[in-house]
Amino acid sequence: MLKIVLNCFTVILGAAAIACGFNLFLVPHHMLSGGVAGLSMLIGYFTTFNISTMYLVINIPMLIAGWFILGKRFISLSILSVVATTWILTLIPVQSVVSDTLLASVFGGVLIGVGAGISFRVGGSTGGFDIIGSIVTRYRDFPVGTVLVGLNGLVILAAGYLNKDWNIALASMLTIFVTGKVLDQIYVSHTKITVYIVTEHTDKLLKRMLATPRGVSKIKIEGAFSHMEKDMLMTVTTRYELVELKRIIKQVDPSAFVNIVETVGVMGSFRRR
């Protein structure tokens, strides 16, 4: 229960960082954050619609898609992040902290990257293109930050064309780049992890693990001291999926011995077919 509360608090803290990046750095200079947030800002700049309201509305279909593909737990935290960000955006006044556009783009990007990164660390996301990035990363070996930079770059290019102001567009591109780099530093989900699990509940744990996209190998081992035969399960996963795998292990066999090591590289099929 305490861990759930801490995870929710972390997500809300990340939402606060994102909202500060928006209202204190980007929005006063009419820059875009890219993705769903960028679309919301673009609509808000040229219409009477509120940016925070559009941020919530546009996120809804993304959250529905993620609910079925990424899982209820992941999306539950993502919903919390979207709702918290929407709420905090209404509390923080749109006020420029710095007058220089370059400084605003860099520090705005840092705040947004930190907010998104810590949300990913506890198994959630900030909604929008983060969900699309997570879906792509689950099935293809791409860093989340790189995926987001590509998706968000399209939004920025569209904004530059519509605005006829490429200075703002390029500054927004810098924001997206900084956000992606900070996100990858905090949460490197594309890093491969090899997990060795020694358990006495092999069948139950194996059944749960085979529901994930990654393959599992079962190895017979013998304790050097006890000379007892046991089973060891080995799988290669990502940091993103490690959160869910650790939760499964704790539910099935809290006393299991687990060795988690970083993997230098993988040859062959990484995803179970």
Side-chain angles (χ1 to χ4, degrees):
M1 183 63 184
L2 178 60
K3 186 175 181 180
I4 295 175
V5 173
L6 289 175
N7 287 347
C8 291
F9 176 77
T10 301
V11 169
I12 294 173
L13 187 64
I18 293 170
C20 287
F22 289 169
N23 283 2
L24 300 182
F25 292 93
L26 301 188
V27 176
H29 293 272
H30 274 218
M31 287 188 292
L32 302 181
S33 173
V36 168
L39 290 174
S40 304
M41 291 175 181
L42 198 60
I43 294 172
Y45 295 155
F46 293 98
T47 69
T48 57
F49 289 105
N50 185 273
I51 292 177
S52 60
T53 302
M54 294 308 304
Y55 179 76
L56 177 63
V57 170
I58 299 175
N59 262 300
I60 291 176
M62 307 285 186
L63 294 171
I64 293 174
W67 182 274
F68 293 103
I69 298 175
L70 300 176
K72 297 179 181 179
R73 181 179 179 275
F74 178 86
I75 295 302
S76 295
L77 290 175
S78 300
I79 292 173
L80 174 62
S81 176
V82 170
V83 172
T85 302
T86 302
W87 175 59
I88 297 173
L89 281 173
T90 62
L91 299 179
I92 299 176
V94 177
Q95 179 178 327
S96 180
V97 175
V98 294
S99 58
D100 186 79
T101 302
L102 181 62
L103 287 177
S105 66
V106 171
F107 283 96
V110 169
L111 279 174
I112 296 167
V114 169
I118 62 177
S119 293
F120 270 97
R121 285 294 292 266
V122 297
S125 81
T126 57
F129 279 5
D130 289 350
I131 294 177
I132 297 177
S134 298
I135 293 173
V136 172
T137 303
R138 169 167 285 199
Y139 296 105
R140 292 291 184 271
D141 186 20
F142 295 125
V144 170
T146 303
V147 174
L148 296 185
V149 167
L151 293 172
N152 293 336
L154 296 175
V155 176
I156 300 301
L157 290 174
Y161 176 77
L162 295 173
N163 269 330
K164 305 299 182 183
D165 186 351
W166 290 102
N167 290 322
I168 295 298
L170 291 175
S172 299
M173 283 292 289
L174 178 60
T175 298
I176 301 302
F177 178 79
V178 172
T179 297
K181 288 301 180 182
V182 172
L183 172 59
D184 276 342
Q185 288 298 316
I186 296 176
Y187 183 78
V188 282
S189 66
H190 59 286
T191 301
K192 305 298 182 299
I193 300 295
T194 300
V195 183
Y196 301 93
I197 310 161
V198 180
T199 177
E200 295 180 355
H201 301 277
T202 306
D203 293 336
K204 291 182 180 179
L205 186 56
L206 189 58
K207 182 179 179 181
R208 295 285 299 275
M209 291 176 66
L210 287 175
T212 68
R214 309 304 173 194
V216 184
S217 297
K218 184 167 70 171
I219 306 169
K220 288 290 184 182
I221 62 172
E222 180 182 318
F225 178 76
S226 64
H227 297 288
M228 292 179 59
E229 286 193 356
K230 292 185 178 181
D231 293 317
M232 180 174 71
L233 302 178
M234 183 197 75
T235 185
V236 180
T237 185
T238 65
R239 284 194 184 275
Y240 159 69
E241 293 163 338
L242 182 62
V243 175
E244 180 65 16
L245 179 58
K246 289 168 70 175
R247 186 183 69 84
I248 290 173
I249 295 171
K250 288 180 181 180
Q251 285 183 346
V252 176
D253 186 6
S255 61
F257 176 79
V258 183
N259 183 24
I260 303 172
V261 297
E262 188 169 315
T263 302
V264 175
V266 174
M267 295 179 65
S269 179
F270 174 52
R271 183 172 183 268
R272 180 168 59 84
R273 298 183 183 278

